[in-house]
Amino acid sequence: MHPKSFYFYLLLLCIGSTELSAQLGFCGGNSGDPIFTEDFGSGTTNGPALPAGTTTYNFTNGTPNDGDYTISSTTNFLDWINIQDHTPDDTYGKSFIINASFTAGKFYQREVTGLCENTSYEFSSWLINLLPTINCPLDPEIPVNVRFQIWDETDTNLLAQGDTGDLFASENTNWQQYALVFKTEPGQTSVILKMINNRGGGCGNDLAIDDIVFKSCGDNVTVSTNTNETSLVICDDQGGVSRTLTATPDFSIFSTHAYQWQQSTDQQVWTDIANETTSTLSTPAITTTSYFRVKIAEDPINVNKDLCNVVSDVFDIIVLPIPNTPLSSGDITICEGEVGILSASTESSYTVNWFDAPTDGNLLLEANNNFETSIAGTYYAAANSPEIECASLSRTAITLTVN
């Protein structure tokens, strides 16, 4: 082989390797709240057209021909599938409907701002091939095949890309979600999303896109004690209980970790715990139900930015109040040979245990409001938690008399 031909062959091989390396994939860890969403609105009239510079295709209020697009709540054009948009609980929700141009190439581009520097993100979008069947007597079917790309704000550095692969017409087709994971660079707070049609127009390649979303992406993080407890239930009479909690990231996304522990009493409002910024936390003495979690980011500059971090699993410390003494349904008198049913009630979150003594004694029946016996005597009902030993301070005496 001539040396120039050999180098040309290597160049082709490298280009082919780059194409093959383009991979779609979802965040392998925890995703944050959506930072950017595009659901294309709702309504019964088509449009409006996308902002200038978003697409090179032509907007139409009617049926999209090759190289046209529309924004519509219906896909009932030509011989396409008539399907609702993807957005859940969307009344007359719209989607971005494309009839591919005869020339393959970019058909969508927009800048996404408000990102955090040095942070991993998941881009995702839903896509559907609108053709139920294909009838191409002269030409082979042209499948849908879209490439998603994420570029830096200068439009010179490609951060991630991936192809859907060929999606052929099918009567059972439905919305499919595709995703890319990428990482912003230091000082970078915006990216450019591009969608490229890898196939040309003609017989096939008609599609719709909906629900474009950007979310932060980070490790799955578990919180446990050194004895592998992932939650704790205690009784109020145990006094203040504390634990040393350890956050364990799975390193699926982050290579380094910055931490900020938080505490809550209702899992709705979370408060940062001052100076607790390592992977471990020694809780204060807990006397009322409390919840703990940790915010995590790869860069310390982002750990306190809610659109840039992720949060761990929640460690619950549930403090059960001591139950009240059960209420008696009254003493019972029966005739010899009959069976008496003694009854007591307690709060719905507790159960009733029966004993043969006012303190200590033998447990006769567990977790039942009714105790059946034909033996005369006084029996004692105590309220208790079904989860742990957390009993009422006294027992209710109920007497069975046999005549």
Side-chain angles (χ1 to χ4, degrees):
M1 180 181 292
H2 191 278
K4 289 185 178 179
S5 299
F6 176 73
Y7 290 127
F8 180 70
Y9 170 77
L10 287 179
L11 176 62
L12 290 178
L13 182 61
C14 291
I15 293 172
S17 299
T18 300
E19 293 297 320
L20 290 174
S21 67
Q23 295 292 326
L24 293 172
F26 291 90
C27 176
N30 285 338
S31 296
D33 295 329
I35 295 170
F36 168 86
T37 59
E38 174 61 88
D39 62 8
F40 300 100
S42 60
T44 56
T45 58
N46 293 352
L50 296 174
T54 304
T55 181
T56 56
Y57 281 31
N58 301 313
F59 173 74
T60 178
N61 277 313
T63 299
N65 296 313
D66 291 296
D68 292 343
Y69 80 95
T70 191
I71 306 295
S72 179
S73 61
T74 180
T75 58
N76 190 22
F77 303 105
L78 303 171
D79 56 351
W80 297 349
I81 295 170
N82 188 17
I83 192 169
Q84 291 182 336
D85 77 323
H86 172 264
T87 310
D89 303 321
D90 207 6
T91 303
Y92 295 111
K94 298 179 182 180
S95 59
F96 177 32
I97 300 168
I98 305 111
N99 191 333
S101 170
F102 285 104
T103 303
K106 182 178 66 178
F107 66 91
Y108 182 88
Q109 174 176 319
R110 73 166 300 157
E111 185 178 18
V112 177
T113 61
L115 305 182
C116 300
E117 61 180 292
N118 202 27
T119 300
S120 295
Y121 288 94
E122 177 194 85
F123 149 80
S124 65
S125 180
W126 292 81
L127 182 148
I128 186 171
N129 185 335
L130 292 174
L131 287 177
T133 57
I134 200 75
N135 183 14
C136 301
L138 300 178
D139 300 306
E141 172 190 352
I142 303 172
V144 171
N145 190 312
V146 174
R147 173 170 296 174
F148 300 103
Q149 292 183 334
I150 306 294
W151 293 77
D152 71 351
E153 71 271 24
T154 66
D155 201 11
T156 58
N157 184 19
L158 179 62
L159 303 179
Q161 70 173 348
D163 298 346
T164 63
D166 287 342
L167 307 175
F168 290 92
S170 171
E171 293 181 353
N172 298 318
T173 189
N174 211 328
W175 288 100
Q176 298 292 327
Q177 189 180 28
Y178 301 90
L180 276 174
V181 175
F182 66 95
K183 185 176 180 180
T184 55
E185 299 172 339
Q188 179 186 356
T189 59
S190 64
V191 296
I192 298 172
L193 165 66
K194 297 181 183 180
M195 298 184 189
I196 298 168
N197 205 320
N198 291 327
R199 304 292 185 187
C203 189
N205 202 4
D206 304 312
L207 64 146
I209 287 175
D210 200 11
D211 291 331
I212 300 171
V213 176
F214 282 76
K215 296 179 179 180
S216 61
C217 174
D219 290 352
N220 278 316
V221 184
T222 58
V223 176
S224 60
T225 66
N226 58 0
T227 57
N228 294 322
E229 296 170 310
T230 56
S231 63
L232 182 64
V233 180
I234 61 174
C235 187
D236 196 22
D237 63 359
Q238 292 180 244
V241 171
S242 63
R243 286 291 190 273
T244 297
L245 308 181
T246 301
T248 305
D250 64 0
F251 286 84
S252 60
I253 304 296
F254 295 162
S255 57
T256 59
H257 300 85
Y259 301 90
Q260 174 60 64
W261 286 92
Q262 293 184 305
Q263 183 174 359
S264 175
T265 58
D266 58 6
Q267 298 199 70
Q268 301 298 318
V269 178
W270 291 89
T271 303
D272 290 350
I273 304 174
N275 302 319
E276 296 295 348
T277 56
T278 67
S279 61
T280 60
L281 168 71
S282 293
T283 72
I286 302 300
T287 57
T288 59
T289 294
S290 298
Y291 306 92
F292 297 89
R293 72 179 188 185
V294 63
K295 298 185 293 186
I296 299 179
E298 193 164 15
D299 193 313
I301 197 173
N302 292 326
V303 73
N304 286 313
K305 299 177 181 178
D306 290 341
L307 295 181
C308 313
N309 58 33
V310 294
V311 295
S312 69
D313 296 340
V314 176
F315 190 95
D316 308 342
I317 301 182
I318 308 299
V319 180
L320 298 177
I322 297 173
N324 295 318
T325 304
L327 298 176
S328 169
S329 296
D331 296 336
I332 298 294
T333 299
I334 62 172
C335 293
E336 188 176 6
E338 294 179 345
V339 175
I341 302 177
L342 309 179
S343 295
S345 60
T346 186
E347 296 100 324
S348 59
S349 56
Y350 295 96
T351 58
V352 175
N353 294 341
W354 296 87
F355 296 86
D356 59 4
T359 58
D360 298 327
N362 299 306
L363 176 64
L364 304 177
L365 180 64
E366 192 173 13
N368 199 316
N369 284 18
N370 300 318
F371 177 64
E372 298 183 10
T373 182
S374 58
I375 302 174
T378 299
Y379 300 88
Y380 300 88
N384 197 20
S385 166
E387 300 176 77
I388 61 170
E389 181 62 29
C390 189
S392 54
L393 298 178
S394 60
R395 300 171 182 174
T396 298
I398 305 177
T399 299
L400 172 68
T401 301
V402 179
N403 290 334

